[in-house]
Amino acid sequence: MSHPPGHSPATNARLAALREKITRRSLGVAGKMARAFIDSKLTPLLVVAAMLLGAFAVLVTPREEEPQIRVPMIDVFAQLPGASAPEVERRLIEPLEKALFEIPGVEYVYSTSQPSGGLIIARFEVGTDPDRAALRVHAKLAERAGLLPAGAPPPIVAPRGIDDVPVVAWSLWSASEPPLVLRQVANEVAAELARHPRVAQVTVLGGARRAVEVRFDRERLATHKLSILQVHQALAGLDWKLPAGGFAGGDVET
């Protein structure tokens, strides 16, 4: 009788006894279920039934090519007439950003500042009710209304949805041309894009708009018995909302 090399007959006997002990060990719950399914004739039927049930679930489950996902975004337009962009950011935008971050459900807050005003965008968590999101923003801004800088009108709140997000954005930049020229070029590009039959809306942001500068002659105003305040009120009556600016003469600035 031959034995495996390196093992004595006593060692081989112990190994055989250990194998027999392992094979006789009692199976657990999973092992017993597996043995029952292996030996059962119902296993193929259960597999076929599970496949048919999965196919039925795929057929009856509603599907959309472009599912609607609710991601509420709120635009907050804040104004501070006559202030520079850094001043608008420091005195108006940053405090409002901190206030919006306190609203439950707000995930991100973006902002941009420019002379005389700025824009804050508050994005809520996915699935938040848009109406409740807008109501929370209104309530938070109402709480901070008394802390706004002097001369700042109440912010304007405009809700947006995920369908209002731009699909494509282009940025025009030049090291030599002024912002007014860049905006004129952007308006021309926007007009060309709007002619496409599948383009719904084109919006131009940034740049410098055309403005009318009014310079006052105090002597001529006095001749006509007019004050700077009266002229400003006349301009405001044209439904224009523009910073009045300032006038320095001698040791007086108005």
Side-chain angles (χ1 to χ4, degrees), residues 120-182:
I120 306 174
I121 302 175
R123 197 183 84 183
F124 285 76
E125 296 176 353
V126 178
T128 304
D129 185 77
D131 296 334
R132 291 186 178 181
L135 183 61
R136 292 173 183 174
V137 172
H138 278 289
K140 179 59 67 173
L141 294 178
E143 292 178 3
R144 300 301 178 94
L147 302 178
L148 293 176
I156 300 175
V157 178
R160 284 196 300 161
I162 193 171
D163 295 333
D164 299 325
V165 177
V167 177
V168 181
W170 285 279
S171 298
L172 302 182
W173 178 86
S174 175
S176 58
E177 298 297 335
L180 179 60
V181 176
L182 288 177

Side-chain angles (χ1 to χ4, degrees), residues 17-91:
L18 181 60
R19 293 193 193 98
E20 185 178 358
K21 183 179 180 180
I22 293 175
T23 55
R24 291 182 178 179
R25 181 178 299 174
S26 60
L27 299 176
V29 177
K32 293 179 180 179
M33 291 180 62
R35 174 177 291 179
F37 276 101
I38 290 175
D39 299 333
S40 176
K41 296 181 180 181
L42 295 177
T43 301
L45 297 178
L46 294 177
V47 172
V48 174
M51 294 178 62
L52 293 177
L53 183 61
F56 175 76
V58 171
L59 293 176
V60 301
T61 300
R63 297 184 300 273
E64 293 185 18
E65 183 178 355
E66 297 179 357
Q68 299 298 317
I69 303 174
R70 295 194 302 180
V71 186
M73 289 177 287
I74 309 296
D75 290 347
V76 179
F77 299 91
Q79 297 180 351
L80 188 59
S84 61
E87 187 178 2
V88 169
E89 180 179 6
R90 177 176 54 85
R91 299 180 56 194

Side-chain angles (χ1 to χ4, degrees), residues 143-216:
E143 292 178 3
R144 300 301 178 94
L147 302 178
L148 293 176
I156 300 175
V157 178
R160 284 196 300 161
I162 193 171
D163 295 333
D164 299 325
V165 177
V167 177
V168 181
W170 285 279
S171 298
L172 302 182
W173 178 86
S174 175
S176 58
E177 298 297 335
L180 179 60
V181 176
L182 288 177
R183 186 173 182 88
Q184 292 175 350
V185 175
N187 288 330
E188 295 177 3
V189 174
E192 293 294 331
L193 294 175
R195 295 178 183 177
H196 195 282
R198 302 190 64 180
V199 174
Q201 184 179 3
V202 181
T203 305
V204 179
L205 302 175
R209 300 177 182 270
R210 297 186 61 183
V212 177
E213 182 179 0
V214 181
R215 296 186 178 182
F216 298 101

Side-chain angles (χ1 to χ4, degrees), residues 78 85-101 109 111 113 120 144:
E87 187 178 2
V88 169
E89 180 179 6
R90 177 176 54 85
R91 299 180 56 194
L92 185 63
I93 299 300
E94 289 184 354
L96 291 179
E97 278 185 339
K98 295 178 181 179
L100 294 178
F101 261 125
V109 174
S111 68
S113 301
I120 306 174
R144 300 301 178 94

